[in-house]
Structures are given as structure tokens and as C-alpha cells.
Amino acid sequence: MLENLLKQELCSMGADLVGFSKLPTSPIKNQPNLIYAVTIAIKLPDAVLKTIEERPTIEYFHTYRTVNALLDRITFLGARIIEKQGYNAFPIPASQSTADDKSAYRGAFSHKMGARLSGLGFIGKNGLFISEEFGSKIRLATILTDMEVIPERPLVESKCKGCTICQKACPGGAISGIEYVAGMQRDEFFSAEKCSNNMKNYKDVGRGAVCGICIKVCPFNKLTK
């Protein structure tokens, strides 16, 4: 099967998890056949996440950017593999922003939606994707394609339940504590604007710094000792 070949190639390039899903519609304008998604996940190192206390660190910032770069490389090369099989492929970068409405804090495609539909995990109260294997200590990227791929896992419902650890730890007040359910809009349970505004406090860490506190405290992550 092409899925098995693709998964083997993506993992050989550094992917820790690969998932497949079918989307309701193509998110790419004028390309309605790109309704299949290949989700790629890379785990963040435990030792780096441990450096985060009340604020992010330079070590986390540089690791975050390095993992994004690796994901972008993998999605590009993965798209080439799909094209060589005679299909169309559209790599979506790990970090992305729309040119038409930056205030929406959205990209061309939600990696988390693709990952959830693939059965790799669920969307948590923190607005992060929480994988079954690695919790939320992952970064995601996606390849959209017209090559038919079949999900290998069933959908996973949110397991956050009554936990409010990330809500209490969030310095920007972005996490409402409301549990995500399928079909819910992000703003109903998580404020991307508050999260983005809070990250402006960390300019000393690096340009475009990210926070990471909600990842550090999430019980699903089980950081090694």
C-alpha cells in the first residue's frame, strides 16, 4: 500500500508519528481534490521542556524553530514522493499565517484538525493537540493530497475532563477551562489572541518567541526524570 511506503519514508526522515485522514472539503482555493491529509508529528525533547519554568527559555525557542524546520523539510520531501506516484501534493508548513487576516491567528490549514481526524489523539483545553503516544510535546505539519489515504485509527475524544492545570498555569489567561468537543470553534474554549499577546513579553528570548508553559505542565506529557 502507498500509505505504508509513505509512512516508512517519512519516519526514516525523522517523523515520530504519521497519520492519515479524509477532510470534509479541501482547504486550498481552486484545488477541490486535495481532501486527504497526511499528518506528521515530531516529539520535542523532554530535557529541553524541563528548562521552562515561569517563562520560556532560549533553549526551547531554538529547539522549537529547529523542529519546525525539520517538519517543513519532511513535508516537502514527502510531497515529492506522492507526486512521483502520480498524485498532487501540497505541503503545509509547521508554522503558518494567513496573508488576508492575520488577526484571525489561523493558517491555511489546521494541523490539529488533520491530526484529530487521523485518530492520533485529541485537542486539549490548552488548544494544543494531545497525542496518544507523546501528549502535547509535539509539533505538527501536514501534506494535503488527492491520493486516497485511509485513517488507521478511530477518533479519540477529549480526555482532559476536570483537569485545570494548564488553565491555572497560563500566564496570558488564554485557556478558558472548557473542554473541546467536535465542531467547537477555537475561540469558544481558547483565545489565540491572548496567547499571542502574552508571547510578546518574551522578546528577550528571541524574535517570534513562543511560550510553552502549557506544554510543560500538561499531565499527559510525562516528562522523563
Side-chain angles (χ1 to χ4, degrees):
M1 294 177 62
L2 290 179
E3 291 103 314
N4 291 334
L5 170 64
L6 182 60
K7 180 183 287 189
Q8 290 174 6
E9 290 293 328
L10 295 174
C11 289
S12 71
M13 288 186 264
D16 291 312
L17 294 173
V18 176
F20 304 108
S21 60
K22 183 178 180 180
L23 310 176
T25 59
S26 171
I28 305 302
K29 186 177 180 180
N30 299 328
Q31 300 195 54
N33 294 326
L34 299 179
I35 59 172
Y36 297 97
V38 181
T39 294
I40 300 162
I42 293 179
K43 175 186 171 295
L44 295 166
D46 287 12
V48 175
L49 289 172
K50 288 178 185 177
T51 66
I52 301 172
E53 294 296 340
E54 296 180 354
R55 67 196 319 272
T57 61
I58 292 176
E59 293 82 3
Y60 172 66
F61 171 62
H62 286 299
T63 298
Y64 183 97
R65 293 204 306 178
T66 300
V67 172
N68 280 353
L70 177 56
L71 280 166
D72 292 350
R73 174 179 171 78
I74 293 173
T75 53
F76 178 76
L77 294 177
R80 284 170 55 87
I81 293 172
I82 294 173
E83 281 195 332
K84 288 178 181 179
Q85 295 296 327
Y87 299 93
N88 291 301
F90 195 114
I92 303 289
S95 286
Q96 38 167 330
S97 59
T98 56
D100 53 346
D101 186 8
K102 293 187 180 298
S103 65
Y105 302 99
R106 297 183 185 280
F109 176 71
S110 169
H111 300 307
K112 289 178 282 191
M113 183 179 81
R116 187 185 75 81
L117 291 175
S118 73
L120 290 177
F122 61 94
I123 296 175
K125 290 181 178 180
N126 49 20
L128 299 172
F129 183 75
I130 301 178
S131 66
E132 294 284 89
E133 287 85 351
F134 305 119
S136 62
K137 53 185 178 183
I138 57 171
R139 294 291 299 152
L140 299 169
T142 310
I143 303 171
L144 300 177
T145 179
D146 55 8
M147 182 180 82
E148 183 176 357
V149 293
I150 301 173
E152 299 175 314
R153 308 187 189 191
L155 293 177
V156 180
E157 299 300 322
S158 173
K159 297 181 180 180
C160 291
K161 305 305 178 185
C163 180
T164 58
I165 292 175
C166 64
Q167 179 190 14
K168 294 175 181 177
C170 178
I175 302 171
S176 69
I178 297 173
E179 191 166 31
Y180 171 84
V181 295
M184 181 181 288
Q185 296 297 310
R186 183 183 61 192
D187 292 343
E188 296 180 59
F189 69 101
F190 176 82
S191 173
E193 181 178 9
K194 289 182 179 179
C195 178
S196 179
N197 287 337
N198 175 67
M199 288 189 284
K200 295 175 183 177
N201 295 320
Y202 311 129
K203 292 181 179 179
D204 59 308
V205 174
R207 182 178 179 183
V210 288
C211 179
I213 291 175
C214 58
I215 299 177
K216 167 70 179 293
V217 302
C218 180
F220 289 105
N221 290 339
K222 301 176 183 177
L223 299 182
T224 57
K225 296 182 180 180

